[in-house]
Amino acid sequence: MGSNNGSSICLDLSIGTLQFSNSCMKQHNKINKLPLIHGSTKMEEKLIYNSQIEAEMVDEMNRVVAENRRLSTMLAAISERHRALRAQVLEIMNSTSSSSSTKPAAKRRNVEGSLAYLEAVNASYKVNCSKEEVGETRPRISRMYIRSDGLVVRDGYHWRKYGQKVIRDNPYPRAYFRCSFAPVCPVKKKVQRCTEDHSVLVVTYEGEHNHVQPLPGDSLNCLR
DNA sequence: CGAGTTTGACCCGCGC
DNA sequence: GCGCGGGTCAAACTCG
């Protein structure tokens, strides 16, 4: 597979609101620095300038609306590409799992696990980016939702369960896992059923693995 | 027999 | 200060 396969997304978001407020400030300054025009009162001059400002503000607003439309179109295109990539992944996983497993249920688990892994990577990437921007040093936390029968989430890493707890307002217990490379690897994860949809697992990853995955391609092997 | 899981006890932070 | 709830510990247990 190509490195990014056209999936790297660069949103050149030039937010209009900031520019908008800046232009308002400029206009405001203009009014205060008005030179006195001979034969007209300062009040009349202000009115003339106010109408000019109004026209410029309408232009600015139109520009922002156009920008908004452009971004919406981009978002739709990105969503479409995401769907296509997801379909490709499913197809690949189906072809690889069919050679290793003949049971349909096992095949489905494989596919779901692989998607879970991909979503985990995606989610942690998103969280990492936002944290780095803010400059935080707290352990990186990412959350994902997976449709699964059991409490087992195949994400390519090897976990050891160290606790289970019944949580308030949720009839299903929360399971606590540590990376089996602990204490070298500080990563933990919590797995819990969603209260609204019991077939959905809420998986919370805490921290970042400081090692490679246990075995090359183990993310697929673990999916059995 | 070793590695992993279960489960009750304990710890600790937070809100009142 | 106290109680509650989430998180962790560790001994007992299970399984391959």
Side-chain angles (χ1 to χ4, degrees):
Chain A
M1 211 189 280
S3 59
N4 277 330
N5 206 14
S7 60
S8 68
I9 296 157
C10 176
L11 281 178
D12 183 20
L13 299 175
S14 60
I15 305 302
T17 48
L18 187 63
Q19 292 172 14
F20 184 77
S21 58
N22 280 345
S23 84
C24 284
M25 285 301 293
K26 281 178 199 163
Q27 299 300 341
H28 178 73
N29 291 340
K30 259 191 210 173
I31 294 170
N32 288 339
K33 291 173 185 171
L34 280 179
L36 273 175
I37 299 169
H38 184 71
S40 64
T41 65
K42 200 167 181 176
M43 192 67 175
E44 285 167 339
E45 287 160 21
K46 270 196 175 179
L47 280 172
I48 291 162
Y49 270 89
N50 277 346
S51 62
Q52 283 177 358
I53 290 162
E54 197 182 324
E56 283 178 32
M57 283 173 83
V58 168
D59 284 348
E60 189 71 21
M61 216 183 301
N62 287 336
R63 197 191 63 76
V64 171
V65 168
E67 178 85 7
N68 198 12
R69 265 199 216 108
R70 194 175 65 83
L71 288 171
S72 299
T73 314
M74 274 173 71
L75 188 61
I78 289 163
S79 300
E80 189 52 48
R81 254 160 50 188
H82 175 251
R83 260 197 297 276
L85 276 171
R86 204 182 157 91
Q88 271 183 23
V89 170
L90 275 169
E91 204 174 311
I92 290 163
M93 292 305 158
N94 273 330
S95 61
T96 54
S97 63
S98 62
S99 59
S100 60
S101 166
T102 52
K103 290 177 183 173
K107 196 195 284 184
R108 211 180 102 241
R109 273 199 299 275
N110 284 355
V111 171
E112 283 174 355
S114 305
L115 286 173
Y117 170 66
L118 289 173
E119 283 174 18
V121 170
N122 190 27
S124 73
Y125 172 76
K126 276 190 270 185
V127 171
N128 292 350
C129 286
S130 60
K131 288 271 169 70
E132 275 161 14
E133 278 167 15
V134 180
E136 286 184 37
T137 56
R138 282 184 297 174
R140 287 159 181 183
I141 297 170
S142 61
R143 184 172 298 163
M144 49 187 277
Y145 299 86
I146 301 150
R147 199 167 287 277
S148 174
D149 301 334
L151 276 177
V152 181
V153 179
R154 309 292 189 180
D155 53 15
Y157 288 94
H158 199 186
W159 302 93
R160 173 182 286 191
K161 190 175 182 180
Y162 66 91
Q164 181 165 311
K165 182 107 183 160
V166 174
I167 302 300
R168 205 175 147 226
D169 298 332
N170 193 334
Y172 297 94
R174 175 183 292 173
Y176 299 90
F177 297 89
R178 246 193 290 263
C179 182
S180 62
F181 281 83
V184 176
C185 180
V187 182
K188 291 176 202 166
K189 78 170 176 182
K190 288 179 273 188
V191 180
Q192 187 177 19
R193 291 214 170 275
C194 184
T195 45
E196 284 84 18
D197 186 352
H198 299 159
S199 64
V200 173
L201 291 178
V202 181
V203 187
T204 310
Y205 291 89
E206 212 173 298
E208 195 178 13
H209 292 281
N210 53 14
H211 57 89
V212 292
Q213 285 191 2
L215 287 169
D218 200 38
S219 61
L220 293 178
N221 294 336
C222 278
L223 299 174
R224 279 192 200 109

